[in-house]
Amino acid sequence: MTSAHENGQKNYFELEDALQTYPITPAPAGFSKKVIDKVRTSTPKLQFRLSWFDYALTFFSTSMVGLALILWQLIPTQWIMLVRFQAFILWERSMRFPYKPNLFAGCTLAILAILFALVFFKRPRFVASSQ
Amino acid sequence: MDEADLIKRARSGDTDAFEVLVIENQDFVYNLALRTLGNAVEAEDVAQDAFVRAWLALPKFRQQAKFRTWLYRIVVNLCYNRFPHLRRELVILVDEDIADISDVAKESDIVFGIERSERRAFLHRQIDDLPDHYRMLVSLRYQDELSYNEIATITNLPIGTVKTGLFRAKDRLRKAILELEEIF
């Protein structure tokens, strides 16, 4: 009886010993290099790339500036005088009552800025890809 | 430089810092994959994949767990994905009312005679021949010296299932010793 108990205990310790000494197999040679190579190729790289919309927006903006210059040349001299006169009156009025025109100009500029931001930031953009 | 600094640097894109982390953990990660899958080629593939995934997920790593424990979790999940039977076989283990399996390692230095090393080698072969789900638990418990709680977290299993799995693995090994004794 005692022998069976001792045998059981011996087996128990033997088993624990085997589990504790179960060897750790080291990683193969060059393992870390392979991992780092993979890591470098899998890192998302932000590449500078212009999308078709960037080209379209640039073309549109420069066209508008060119068109504005051409139209300005085509306006008759009398009309230009009239515009200058109107501008002078507006300027004079704004000097008398500066609050309203300034508010109007400020709001117009703010709306234009928001519109520009919407067009600029909501344009289709290149998304960084990971291999 | 300690691990936290290396993780911080790696998180900001420093691959050299990450390489140090890889070198420090590669043996443990590869070993766990090897013990679980039982195939060197598959194990290397899984271990490499685990590190690449860790690199990509590093910004999400909150350092609540140890880096190595986090890596183990990635390895185990990759093994589950490759071999769905692994998790299935662990999940179906019925929890047994197991008395706390205390590891009496200190007393394992008892001298058993000249055949001790041979018997130990025999047992190591028996561990290698265990089903992969048991081998994974044995590796986490005895090679990585993790607590039952940590193993349960890594394997996403209830603690009772982990204990049952380890108990059954040991039971198989115990039977193997008895069979060996019957032969001689």
Side-chain angles (χ1 to χ4, degrees):
Chain A
M1 187 75 184
T2 315
S3 171
H5 174 73
E6 277 174 4
N7 232 10
Q9 207 173 27
K10 178 190 153 191
N11 288 349
Y12 173 78
F13 290 135
E14 207 171 18
L15 176 56
E16 285 300 323
D17 171 72
L19 288 165
Q20 302 279 345
T21 56
Y22 188 44
I24 289 179
T25 311
F31 179 86
S32 62
K33 196 189 170 300
K34 284 180 199 167
V35 170
I36 294 303
D37 287 346
K38 278 190 179 181
V39 158
R40 288 202 173 115
T41 53
S42 67
T43 304
K45 285 174 188 163
L46 283 170
Q47 294 171 9
F48 181 76
R49 193 187 290 177
L50 291 168
S51 69
W52 66 269
F53 197 80
D54 294 304
Y55 291 110
L57 196 64
T58 310
F59 178 73
F60 179 76
S61 310
T62 47
S63 307
M64 284 300 108
V65 173
L67 190 68
L69 284 171
I70 290 166
L71 285 174
W72 183 255
Q73 295 297 319
L74 293 176
I75 295 172
T77 319
Q78 286 169 325
W79 287 23
I80 292 170
M81 294 302 286
L82 195 65
V83 168
R84 281 182 179 173
F85 182 65
Q86 291 288 343
F88 177 73
I89 291 169
L90 274 172
W91 175 254
E92 278 295 305
R93 280 189 183 175
S94 71
M95 286 299 103
R96 276 185 221 161
F97 311 103
Y99 177 70
K100 281 185 183 173
N102 284 348
L103 186 70
F104 176 75
C107 287
T108 311
L109 279 174
I111 289 165
L112 283 173
I114 291 166
L115 280 174
F116 178 77
L118 278 176
V119 171
F120 189 78
F121 291 111
K122 288 285 177 186
R123 75 191 197 283
R125 269 176 290 178
F126 165 70
V127 180
S129 66
S130 63
Q131 288 172 345
Chain B
M1 189 172 288
D2 68 350
E3 192 179 88
D5 287 331
L6 288 168
I7 291 167
K8 200 176 165 188
R9 277 179 53 191
R11 199 183 276 164
S12 62
D14 185 344
T15 48
D16 292 336
F18 189 70
E19 190 168 12
V20 177
L21 288 168
V22 172
I23 291 166
E24 279 176 2
N25 294 287
Q26 61 182 8
D27 288 349
F28 298 95
V29 167
Y30 172 75
N31 181 70
L32 176 62
L34 180 68
R35 296 304 178 200
T36 307
L37 304 172
N39 178 307
V41 179
E42 291 249 31
E44 189 178 353
D45 196 33
V46 163
Q48 284 182 14
D49 200 8
F51 278 113
V52 173
R53 279 166 193 254
W55 166 257
L56 294 172
L58 212 51
K60 292 179 202 158
F61 178 54
R62 298 275 167 248
Q63 297 192 50
Q64 285 161 341
K66 284 182 205 160
F67 183 65
R68 189 173 293 168
T69 311
W70 184 59
L71 285 172
Y72 286 156
R73 196 164 183 174
I74 297 173
V75 172
V76 168
N77 282 333
L78 285 171
C79 292
Y80 282 164
N81 289 344
R82 286 198 183 203
F83 301 104
H85 75 91
L86 197 67
R87 188 169 152 73
R88 267 201 310 272
E89 277 160 13
L90 282 166
V91 167
I92 58 165
L93 286 176
V94 181
D95 288 6
E96 286 170 359
D97 189 16
I98 302 163
D100 198 22
I101 314 161
S102 56
D103 301 322
V104 198
K106 290 162 205 154
E107 295 181 53
S108 62
D109 289 335
I110 293 170
V111 179
F112 299 126
I114 50 166
E115 85 275 31
R116 182 182 165 178
S117 61
E118 285 167 26
R119 289 167 69 94
R120 186 192 273 173
F122 165 79
L123 276 170
H124 285 167
R125 285 196 300 278
Q126 292 302 311
I127 298 170
D128 286 336
D129 290 342
L130 282 173
D132 42 16
H133 55 290
Y134 288 146
R135 230 171 27 231
M136 180 175 78
L137 295 178
V138 166
S139 181
L140 286 167
R141 178 72 178 143
Y142 291 96
Q143 296 188 305
D144 304 316
E145 295 176 343
L146 299 176
S147 67
Y148 294 122
N149 262 326
E150 284 173 311
I151 299 171
T153 309
I154 287 167
T155 55
N156 198 21
L157 292 167
I159 195 163
T161 308
V162 171
K163 284 185 177 180
T164 306
L166 280 165
F167 179 80
R168 292 204 182 160
K170 283 180 171 185
D171 198 42
R172 281 184 180 230
L173 296 171
R174 225 170 273 133
K175 282 175 186 159
I177 298 176
L178 293 175
E179 280 170 19
L180 181 75
E181 281 173 351
E182 276 171 21
I183 293 166
F184 294 101

